[in-house]
Amino acid sequence: MYFENDTGELGWIINKNYWRNGFAYEAAKALIYYTKTKIKVNHFLAHCDTENIASYKVMEKLGMSRTGEWGGRRNKSASEDSSEYRYELHL
């Protein structure tokens, strides 16, 4: 988690061998809870490629809402630019 201006920015990278086990969700949920109760942060952001269905499903499961979309993102394994979603959570 990264903090800027009283906002926590969430992100995750999960080894492919461990996909679909709920690790990103559980870790993000614990970080949100900890930072809300101990650090008093109530605003969270996360970003992902629009093609990364698993990541935006995690964000939605966390209760985050999609608040933006823009182009110009280049995934390191892609040869073309794609779009990015921004999600936010206000507690």
Side-chain angles (χ1 to χ4, degrees), residues 7-44:
T7 298
E9 184 164 345
L10 299 164
W12 44 83
I13 299 173
I14 306 293
N15 181 296
K16 191 174 187 174
N17 294 329
Y18 301 99
W19 287 1
R20 304 184 64 85
N21 288 297
F23 296 139
Y25 171 75
E26 290 297 330
K29 182 178 165 185
L31 278 171
I32 289 169
Y33 175 79
Y34 180 84
T35 55
K36 180 181 182 280
T37 58
K38 302 293 184 184
I39 305 173
K40 307 300 182 206
V41 171
N42 295 310
H43 182 217
F44 300 89

